[in-house]
Amino acid sequence: MFDNLIARAIIPVTIAVTGFVIFGCLLLYSFIKADMTKSAFLTANNCADTVVKSTKSAMLEDNQRAIQDIVANIGTRADVKLIKIYGPEGKIRYSGRDGSEGLSNIAANHISDFLGPEPLPQESQRHDIDRDNGNLIISLPIVNEPQCSTAACHFHAEEDQILGFFSIAISSQHLDKTLALLRTRMIIFSIMVLFLTVGGVTALLRINLFLPILRLTYNAEQASQGVAEEDLPKSDHKLGKLNKDFRLLVKQRDQALRALKALETPNRNVDNGSDQS
């Protein structure tokens, strides 16, 4: 009986608590993943902005060799998987690393969006995640500045708003490792909560419910064998009114038995007197 009671008491609580913890971990993980991905894209944006500013400086000096060197040097970084500068017509002008075919296609799609029939804001950016290879790719336009039309790179007309486009892909391996570590720790945390829930609920139920029920069961067995209420083991009062009502029933039984014995005694005396007479 108690095994069934324990199972019915512990299993629902364990399922409820563990389910809530798992749901909370999944929700928290989704928020953390979104925040970390956003932070990774922000870092990539800063990197892209730095490269664009560096190439603009070389463009003002009409130093195409310096632009190619900048792109090539950044392309040697282990975490950079693709880096390209496109002309205003969408053709590749400078390339430091071509990347995989999937990355090149994503970058080409970005440039197609920039060159679409509907003009995009100059501050607009395009970014995607190459999940097959684990990369973050960002594309942004290189905006014409007032000094460009008067500098050595005189082929940029003043009315040209866009000088070209820049695409860079950065490996998300560090982000993926961090998220994998976070998932592992959340799984371990959920398992710990499961064991702590089972152990804690079992201990609490045993102290506050099962042992008092066992004491009450023992008292009921003693009472059924005729033990008086005052001779029963003292209660720990953990069952509250149930234990009081049980002891009251036993006490009333004892009182009824004493009253019955008191009634039976005169009857016996009367019977004995009749026999003698």
Side-chain angles (χ1 to χ4, degrees), residues 53-113:
K53 289 181 178 180
S54 300
T55 55
K56 276 187 176 181
S57 177
M59 289 169 65
L60 289 174
E61 300 175 359
D62 196 18
N63 191 342
Q64 298 188 27
R65 177 64 181 273
I67 298 174
Q68 179 59 46
D69 289 342
I70 291 172
V71 174
N73 288 334
I74 296 176
T76 58
R77 285 179 46 175
D79 59 338
V80 175
K81 302 302 179 182
L82 177 144
I83 180 169
K84 293 180 180 181
I85 295 179
Y86 301 82
E89 73 285 351
K91 294 183 179 180
I92 299 175
R93 292 282 184 85
Y94 308 97
S95 177
R97 180 175 291 187
D98 293 333
S100 62
E101 182 178 355
L103 280 176
S104 298
N105 292 335
I106 294 175
N109 292 334
H110 287 177
I111 304 305
S112 298
D113 291 340

Side-chain angles (χ1 to χ4, degrees), residues 5-17 198 201 205:
L5 180 62
I6 291 172
R8 286 188 294 174
I10 294 177
I11 291 177
V13 175
T14 302
I15 294 175
V17 173
V198 173
V201 171
L205 289 178

